[in-house]
Amino acid sequence: MGEMADPIQFKDEGNKHFQAGEVDKAIECYTKAIKLCTDKKVLAVVYRNRSACFLKKESYTNAASDASKAIDVDAADVKALFRRCQALEKLGKLDMAFKDVQRCSTIEPKNKTFLETLRRLGAEIQAKTSFSTDSRVQNMFDILLDEEMDKDKKEMAANNLVVLAREEAGAERIFQNNGVPLLLDLLETGKVEMVLAAIRTFAGMCTGHKARAMAIIHLVGIDKLCSIMAVDNEDIALATCDLFQCINDSLTGGDRRIYGKEEALVLDASKDLKSILMALLEMVASKKVSGHGRDQALNLLTRNVPRKDKKDPDHSKSLFTIDHGLKKILKVCGQIPDLPDQLPMTENTQLIASVLLDKLWDDLRCDPERDNYREVCDEYIKGKFDPNDMDRNIHAINALSGLLQGPFEVGNQLVGRQGIMEMMVALCGSEREVDQMVAVEALIHSSTKMSRASFIITNGVSLLKDIYKKTKNDKIKIRALVGLCKLGSAGGDDYSMRQFAEGSTEKLAKQCRKWLCNSAMDTRTRKWAIEGLAYLTQDADVKDDFVEDDPAMKAMFDLAKSKDKTILYAVACTLVNCTNSYEKKDIMPELVQLAKFSKQHVPEQHPKDKKDFIQKRVKRMLKGGVISALTVMVKADNLLLTDQTKEMLALIPLALEGSAIGKVRAAHALAKIAAVSNPEIAFPGERIYEVVRPLVSLLHPERDGVQNYEALLSLTNLAGLNDKLRVKILKEKALPEIEQYMFEDHDHIRQAATECMCNLVTCKEVQDRYLEDGNDRLKLLVLMCVEDNEKLQRAAAGGLAMLTAAQKKLCTKMTLTLQWMEILQRLILHDQPQIQHRGLVIVYNMLNSDDNELAKKLMESEILEILTVIGKAMDNPKRQIVIDVARTCLVKAMDLGLRGRHGDEIVPHNG
């Protein structure tokens, strides 16, 4: 045996010894095989065999260790798993042993030994923990299921159960101790509090645990969960939606636990995910589902079907949803709440459906996929048209409205088909009010393109006016008004492209504001008034009128805080229009001249769209409470916000997800506010600190000069408020960027950067950078003091004054700059008191720097004569601060025992 060098031979020899009952010799052979073996699979077998030997010898720790090594190679090795289970049981680790045999029974569900061991260990664990946390869990269920128990005790038990389920240990205890059947009993009670407690407990148990989530799906059933989400209770529908989301996250990578080699034992979740997707698609168009349940089903699809990262090549879920659910989503969009036999819906349902349509369209990767999407939509809408059934016709038109609010490109192409636009116009003249309402809404949504607007102006304006004047139904009247508003704004902010006569848009806007302020009307109807303003505020006259109308602004802000979140886009558009926060490309003067020469149209800016008018409007809106409204708006369910809406809500960037353009616009709009107003008023409380990061993001070299400039102005304002904000700016790594812009060629940007630095130099971190050797930071500040730009001079001199006051060594370092003395003399002779004052403070700091040679050099120069002249001046309220500092400098020089360059004694003037 000593001559063998083959691990296989050692393994086989060990097997013979084990069969013969020679355990020690078997262990010896297996150990030699382990030392020689390089094949992982063979090694796993040897470890598993040696584990059996250690079990025979009752060396349970070694037995468990060897079995684990075998499992590391092959997670599905049932022999190794069972041997480790036996060893762990003997070591008293019943929970771990139970898990191992549980896995064994999963792999071989018909193995009687595994099942018996599973039953026995389960009973032993339950017996040992009868007075532990497990018993308390049981006690909670007993309280919840007791019909006679006090309501307060039941609520406390429900809350305790939910809290316990959110912790891994608690969730596992509930799961292992018959928790799922007991939770199902709670669901069967039908009582809202009990159902919510059960659903939220399930959500905690499924969070971050793939195996447990899969088990709960199979024990509870996907259909059962869908039926619960379908009930007409908003809280229950939302809680069940959260449960589905927890399950989805755990099955698709949300489980961050480390399973090691045993990962293979967790079953493939793809079938369950597909079943959930199919069940949700069934809910979308089911009459048995409540409006709240439908909303949450659509929300789940919107969250989980389209790719979160467009670099991910797998978009099979979107393709599957289009094939099996696109027509169902269109059915939701086509519902007419005023007709009988319609699907139950909330105010938000059709908007959520439109958002889902848009997300699915955006997730497609190639033209054939987009063609298929269009064909499905075309087939559905054409299939609904019926000359003998007006209800089917308006269903088709309403579905088209849903597409126009979602993937506009698809809807717009369908509107262009022969007869569609004509049918919309014809429906406006129908005697049925519901036909008029649907047609007017469709006209509103379809007239975004100028060509469409022109067609409707030609063919539909008279109809809309007629409807507006004659109808007694407020819902139709206001929709007709919005239609007129949209058509009147079809030229955008191009002053020369007004669609209606002078003053018409202002009259329409006045009527919209009147309806908006009418609190007696329902929210959904008043929403349309904001829709009208969203279009009309592209006209600068309308913008000015609106911001001057405090009741209208307040009414809009109050509506933005309401439960109806479909209003957010219209509010966002109105705010963006009034603040001119939209992106507008600069037009080269040469191109303008060329266009005029070739008799092409040249857009004209409205006189009231100039900077001073915009700033005035922003201040009015701040005063009117726009910030509090925006705070509520951005906390709305993100699924109700399309990327366009997120970009429109550009004043608060923290809610912007996944839209790079939106983030830039957000930061820029914030910069506009912080630059022209008091940030403490505009961003009250802790929110002011949240503003720093987006502002710093605008300092990136890829941002344009205006964005750089306004961000620097805003940061200057913030840095001037308190130390906490200054530290926050430094933590966001803004300092290198600010320094970089101090070298910028553009005067305004350089000035803004220097002013910002001036407010930051009180921070020790900034002072240390100026103290470092081998850089020209201090020299740059000194040289800036003689620039032609007086604001730049003032900022640079202010920074020097504060730096030299805080760090005496910088007084000496300042003299390394050539002509420093002449520059200092120019500062203290400046005709602007603010700049002169800063220069005198620098002189005083040098005298106070403990550098006697520097102080002596100052007093032997012309600076002494300048100080004497200033100090002897008559008191003057306008220049008193300058005179006082000069006198203080002379007193300091006298205290130091300094004399003038001719040995003259320094005599301060006491005023």
Side-chain angles (χ1 to χ4, degrees):
M1 213 171 81
E3 294 175 359
M4 283 193 298
D6 184 2
I8 302 295
Q9 289 179 281
F10 278 123
K11 176 181 76 73
D12 293 341
E13 192 67 28
N15 292 346
K16 291 176 184 177
H17 286 302
F18 183 79
Q19 290 166 5
E22 298 170 342
V23 178
D24 288 334
K25 289 183 179 180
I27 291 173
E28 185 181 343
C29 289
Y30 291 142
T31 303
K32 288 178 179 178
I34 288 167
K35 289 178 180 178
L36 296 171
C37 188
T38 56
D39 187 317
K40 286 187 177 181
K41 289 186 178 179
V42 174
L43 193 61
V45 174
V46 177
Y47 272 123
R48 185 180 69 199
N49 292 352
R50 194 171 72 169
S51 175
C53 295
F54 284 131
L55 280 174
K56 289 278 188 183
K57 289 183 66 66
E58 298 182 2
S59 179
Y60 300 120
T61 302
N62 288 332
S65 175
D66 275 6
S68 295
K69 289 171 183 174
I71 294 166
D72 284 342
V73 177
D74 182 3
D77 187 337
V78 286
K79 288 184 179 179
L81 279 166
F82 191 65
R83 283 169 192 170
R84 187 170 71 176
C85 163
Q86 292 172 302
L88 291 170
E89 181 185 356
K90 294 295 184 181
L91 291 169
K93 299 177 180 179
L94 298 184
D95 287 348
M96 296 171 68
F98 183 83
K99 287 178 182 178
D100 278 346
V101 75
Q102 201 173 32
R103 292 179 183 129
C104 290
S105 62
T106 302
I107 297 167
E108 295 183 12
K110 294 182 180 180
N111 188 308
K112 291 182 180 179
T113 303
F114 295 161
L115 293 173
E116 175 57 30
T117 307
L118 186 66
R119 186 200 60 74
R120 179 174 54 76
L121 284 177
E124 287 181 24
I125 291 169
Q126 194 162 3
K128 286 187 88 173
T129 58
S130 59
F131 195 70
S132 66
T133 305
D134 302 329
S135 63
R136 292 203 296 274
V137 170
Q138 181 62 52
N139 187 43
M140 289 177 205
F141 281 114
D142 291 340
I143 292 170
L144 290 168
L145 294 168
D146 188 344
E147 292 287 339
E148 298 178 359
M149 188 59 66
D150 180 72
K151 184 181 177 182
D152 291 340
K153 286 186 178 179
K154 281 191 172 187
E155 287 182 1
M156 186 178 293
N159 290 334
N160 289 340
L161 198 63
V162 174
V163 170
L164 189 64
R166 288 174 181 163
E167 299 174 2
E168 171 56 31
E172 188 63 21
R173 286 193 182 100
I174 295 170
F175 183 72
Q176 296 292 353
N177 286 276
N178 205 36
V180 175
L182 291 169
L183 288 169
L184 285 170
D185 290 342
L186 286 183
L187 290 176
E188 292 303 322
T189 64
K191 295 179 179 178
V192 173
E193 310 83 37
M194 300 298 103
V195 173
L196 284 172
I199 292 296
R200 288 166 180 165
T201 304
F202 275 134
M205 293 165 68
C206 291
T207 300
H209 199 297
K210 187 174 183 179
R212 203 159 53 222
M214 290 183 70
I216 287 170
I217 289 173
H218 290 282
L219 290 168
V220 179
I222 294 170
D223 290 340
K224 176 69 174 176
L225 291 176
C226 288
S227 68
I228 296 168
M229 192 163 76
V231 302
D232 191 14
N233 182 290
E234 187 174 4
D235 291 334
I236 290 176
L238 184 58
T240 315
C241 173
D242 289 338
L243 170 56
F244 268 122
Q245 191 61 51
C246 291
I247 291 170
N248 181 83
D249 291 345
S250 293
L251 299 190
T252 57
D255 185 352
R256 301 302 179 193
R257 296 165 73 251
I258 300 172
Y259 287 97
K261 296 294 182 179
E262 299 167 23
E263 182 79 34
L265 291 176
V266 181
L267 301 177
D268 179 18
S270 59
K271 289 184 179 178
D272 289 326
L273 288 168
K274 187 174 181 181
S275 298
I276 292 171
L277 178 55
M278 284 294 294
L280 292 174
L281 290 174
E282 285 299 317
M283 288 186 71
V284 166
S286 171
K287 286 188 177 180
K288 296 178 181 179
V289 177
S290 70
H292 297 301
R294 200 176 321 281
D295 284 359
Q296 299 310 330
L298 289 165
N299 280 336
L300 284 165
L301 292 169
T302 306
R303 280 196 192 107
N304 302 305
V305 170
R307 293 167 295 167
K308 291 180 174 64
D309 182 0
K310 290 295 186 287
K311 293 179 182 177
D312 181 359
D314 182 16
H315 66 320
S316 56
K317 285 189 290 186
S318 288
L319 297 179
F320 182 88
T321 302
I322 289 167
D323 289 341
H324 295 84
L326 184 54
K327 290 185 178 180
K328 293 174 182 176
I329 303 167
L330 289 169
K331 182 178 179 180
V332 173
C333 290
Q335 297 300 294
I336 317 291
D338 294 336
L339 291 182
D341 199 32
Q342 300 293 295
L343 298 176
M345 295 191 303
T346 69
E347 292 177 337
N348 297 326
T349 305
Q350 287 175 309
L351 176 64
I352 299 171
S354 291
V355 171
L356 176 55
L357 289 172
D358 188 53
K359 297 279 187 184
L360 291 172
W361 172 259
D362 190 49
D363 202 40
L364 299 179
R365 298 173 59 193
C366 59
D367 288 341
E369 291 173 358
R370 295 186 186 95
D371 289 341
N372 176 60
Y373 187 106
R374 289 191 195 95
E375 285 168 11
V376 174
C377 294
D378 191 23
E379 181 185 332
Y380 179 83
I381 289 172
K382 280 198 302 187
K384 290 295 176 184
F385 281 126
D386 185 342
N388 300 316
D389 190 339
M390 193 57 72
D391 287 355
R392 287 176 63 84
N393 290 336
I394 61 173
H395 177 96
I397 295 295
N398 217 34
L400 189 54
S401 287
L403 282 168
L404 289 164
Q405 292 176 84
F408 181 82
E409 181 182 338
V410 179
N412 189 50
Q413 189 172 5
L414 292 175
V415 170
R417 292 194 181 280
Q418 186 175 4
I420 299 283
M421 190 65 73
E422 288 79 3
M423 177 173 281
M424 290 182 192
V425 174
L427 284 171
C428 288
S430 170
E431 293 181 0
R432 287 204 314 176
E433 290 184 339
V434 67
D435 296 345
Q436 295 176 16
M437 192 183 307
V438 170
V440 170
E441 284 192 27
L443 285 172
I444 291 168
H445 296 310
S446 63
S447 60
T448 297
K449 295 287 184 182
M450 274 294 296
S451 58
R452 304 267 182 260
S454 301
F455 174 88
I456 299 167
I457 288 169
T458 304
N459 298 276
V461 169
S462 58
L463 271 174
L464 290 174
K465 285 182 179 178
D466 199 44
I467 290 170
Y468 176 71
K469 289 175 183 176
K470 292 182 179 179
T471 184
K472 294 180 181 179
N473 187 321
D474 287 345
K475 294 180 180 180
I476 298 175
K477 185 182 281 284
I478 197 160
R479 283 164 173 78
L481 176 66
V482 172
L484 292 169
C485 292
K486 187 167 186 179
L487 296 174
S489 65
D493 64 353
D494 185 349
Y495 188 48
S496 65
M497 289 288 287
R498 289 187 166 196
Q499 299 293 320
F500 293 160
E502 186 78 27
S504 296
T505 51
E506 289 94 317
K507 288 179 182 177
L508 291 171
K510 185 177 180 180
Q511 185 61 43
C512 284
R513 298 202 307 273
K514 182 180 176 182
W515 286 66
L516 176 58
C517 295
N518 186 354
S519 57
M521 297 177 69
D522 64 279
T523 301
R524 191 173 178 85
T525 305
R526 291 169 71 202
K527 177 193 81 171
W528 282 96
I530 302 179
E531 291 275 356
L533 288 169
Y535 299 125
L536 294 177
T537 47
Q538 294 181 70
D539 185 309
D541 288 320
V542 176
K543 298 177 194 182
D544 268 18
D545 291 344
F546 177 69
V547 299
E548 293 296 329
D549 189 341
D550 287 332
M553 268 206 300
K554 185 178 184 303
M556 186 178 79
F557 296 155
D558 289 344
L559 282 174
K561 301 172 189 176
S562 69
K563 282 189 175 182
D564 184 359
K565 299 308 176 188
T566 61
I567 207 168
L568 294 182
Y569 184 69
V571 175
C573 287
T574 306
L575 295 177
V576 167
N577 289 342
C578 289
T579 57
N580 285 50
S581 296
Y582 44 77
E583 196 170 19
K584 196 167 178 69
K585 294 180 180 179
D586 293 330
I587 301 175
M588 293 174 63
E590 295 85 353
L591 291 178
V592 173
Q593 294 300 321
L594 184 62
K596 286 180 178 178
F597 179 76
S598 58
K599 297 183 179 180
Q600 296 294 313
H601 171 69
V602 179
E604 294 179 20
Q605 184 186 43
H606 195 292
K608 290 185 179 179
D609 272 331
K610 292 182 178 176
K611 188 174 181 181
D612 53 342
F613 283 95
I614 296 169
Q615 288 187 348
K616 182 182 175 184
R617 289 198 292 268
V618 169
K619 289 177 180 177
R620 285 286 304 170
M621 295 179 79
L622 288 169
K623 188 178 177 182
V626 66
I627 296 298
S628 62
L630 286 165
T631 304
V632 174
M633 289 167 71
V634 298
K635 289 179 180 175
D637 187 347
N638 280 336
L639 295 175
L640 287 172
L641 308 181
T642 61
D643 280 347
Q644 292 92 333
T645 313
K646 293 176 184 180
E647 291 164 14
M648 288 293 184
L649 287 172
L651 302 177
I652 304 291
L654 302 177
L656 299 177
E657 298 166 1
S659 172
I661 297 171
K663 289 179 181 178
V664 175
R665 290 183 185 174
H668 191 198
L670 275 175
K672 286 186 175 187
I673 290 176
V676 300
S677 63
N678 181 347
E680 290 178 304
I681 296 173
F683 311 104
E686 292 298 309
R687 294 192 64 250
I688 195 168
Y689 300 99
E690 298 172 358
V691 173
V692 173
R693 180 172 295 174
L695 292 179
V696 172
S697 71
L698 287 181
L699 300 182
H700 195 279
E702 290 184 3
R703 305 284 82 83
D704 64 42
V706 175
Q707 291 168 344
N708 298 154
Y709 174 65
E710 292 183 335
L712 288 166
L713 288 183
S714 303
L715 290 169
T716 301
N717 283 350
L718 294 175
L721 293 175
N722 58 55
D723 284 334
K724 190 175 176 182
L725 273 167
R726 287 189 279 272
V727 170
K728 175 68 174 173
I729 292 169
L730 297 180
K731 280 186 176 178
E732 294 297 336
K733 298 182 173 60
L735 196 55
E737 303 292 345
I738 296 168
E739 285 182 337
Q740 175 186 326
Y741 286 113
M742 289 174 69
F743 291 92
E744 179 71 36
D745 289 337
H746 196 289
D747 285 345
H748 289 331
I749 293 177
R750 190 151 50 113
Q751 171 198 319
T754 308
E755 288 172 344
C756 190
M757 183 61 72
C758 179
N759 283 352
L760 290 171
V761 293
T762 55
C763 296
K764 183 70 166 56
E765 182 181 334
V766 179
Q767 294 166 13
D768 289 344
R769 288 172 76 89
Y770 278 89
L771 283 167
E772 290 172 3
D773 293 328
N775 68 72
D776 292 329
R777 292 189 181 96
L778 194 68
K779 180 180 177 181
L780 176 66
L781 274 185
V782 175
L783 295 174
M784 281 181 173
C785 291
V786 289
E787 289 276 352
D788 293 335
N789 184 337
E790 287 189 353
K791 290 182 179 179
L792 181 59
Q793 282 184 334
R794 187 173 63 206
L800 274 177
M802 287 188 280
L803 282 169
T804 51
Q807 298 291 340
K808 293 181 178 181
K809 290 181 180 179
L810 290 176
C811 294
T812 305
K813 188 174 182 180
M814 183 177 156
T815 62
L816 299 176
T817 304
L818 293 175
Q819 297 181 322
W820 68 271
M821 184 75 78
E822 290 84 348
I823 292 171
L824 195 54
Q825 289 174 11
R826 286 180 64 174
L827 284 178
I828 62 177
L829 284 170
H830 208 284
D831 56 359
Q832 288 290 332
Q834 290 182 323
I835 297 175
Q836 188 179 21
H837 171 247
R838 286 160 170 75
L840 289 166
V841 170
I842 296 168
V843 172
Y844 175 80
N845 293 339
M846 288 181 154
L847 292 171
N848 196 42
S849 67
D850 301 333
D851 185 337
N852 291 331
E853 286 300 315
L854 175 56
K856 184 179 178 183
K857 188 180 291 186
L858 281 174
M859 291 302 99
E860 289 178 353
S861 71
E862 292 178 1
I863 285 179
L864 176 59
E865 296 171 21
I866 299 169
L867 290 174
T868 304
V869 171
I870 298 171
K872 286 181 179 180
M874 295 290 291
D875 287 353
N876 180 346
K878 292 183 179 180
R879 302 183 64 85
Q880 194 59 46
I881 189 170
V882 172
I883 296 167
D884 288 344
V885 176
R887 292 171 181 173
T888 304
C889 289
L890 292 169
V891 171
K892 182 65 181 178
M894 186 184 71
D895 291 343
L896 292 171
L898 300 174
R899 291 178 176 271
R901 52 184 163 181
H902 302 300
D904 301 332
E905 186 177 346
I906 298 172
V907 180
H909 193 305
N910 294 323

